[in-house]
Amino acid sequence: MATVHFSFEDPNIKPVTVENVEKGYSILEVTEDNDIHLNHNCGGVCACSTCHVYINSGEDDLEEISDKEEDFIDRAINPRLESRLGCQCIILSDDAVIEVEIPDQS
């Protein structure tokens, strides 16, 4: 089962590690199932950029970025090379170890 480490730009939120994540789940689904706040105005269907995250490591264990996702990332606040949309980051491996940083959502 995969492991996802969450860190936060907001220094008041402590890091969270979620273990035993099944492949096929998205980063957004992992946050929802574990009471980790991640905005998602469109409901996770790649129609906005509110679930924007940074994948600091483990990118190879996620579904490849699509052109549509890239278009929405361009609209996100402070996009970086490691930017992704949480709803589109589908975990592909049971052995994945993924480090996700959640931007400040205030």
Side-chain angles (χ1 to χ4, degrees), residues 58-77:
E59 172 90 16
D60 292 342
D61 290 314
L62 298 174
E63 201 166 274
E64 207 169 296
I65 192 168
S66 68
D67 290 340
K68 182 178 179 182
E69 181 182 357
E70 281 189 45
D71 289 343
F72 280 106
I73 287 171
D74 287 342
R75 302 174 196 178
I77 297 170

Side-chain angles (χ1 to χ4, degrees), residues 94-105:
D94 280 328
D95 299 326
V97 177
I98 301 164
E99 293 188 19
V100 179
E101 182 179 354
I102 296 179
D104 188 352
Q105 299 183 71

Side-chain angles (χ1 to χ4, degrees), residues 23-90:
K23 70 179 180 181
Y25 275 76
S26 71
I27 295 300
L28 177 60
E29 290 172 318
V30 175
T31 63
E32 287 293 292
D33 289 351
N34 292 279
D35 296 321
I36 299 167
H37 179 71
L38 179 59
N39 291 332
H40 55 284
N41 292 349
C42 76
V45 296
C46 197
C48 70
S49 63
T50 56
C51 67
H52 171 235
V53 297
Y54 303 118
I55 304 299
N56 292 330
S57 71
E59 172 90 16
D60 292 342
D61 290 314
L62 298 174
E63 201 166 274
E64 207 169 296
I65 192 168
S66 68
D67 290 340
K68 182 178 179 182
E69 181 182 357
E70 281 189 45
D71 289 343
F72 280 106
I73 287 171
D74 287 342
R75 302 174 196 178
I77 297 170
N78 299 323
R80 303 191 300 219
L81 288 175
E82 58 273 13
S83 290
R84 293 289 308 266
L85 299 181
C87 68
Q88 299 301 296
C89 292
I90 307 299

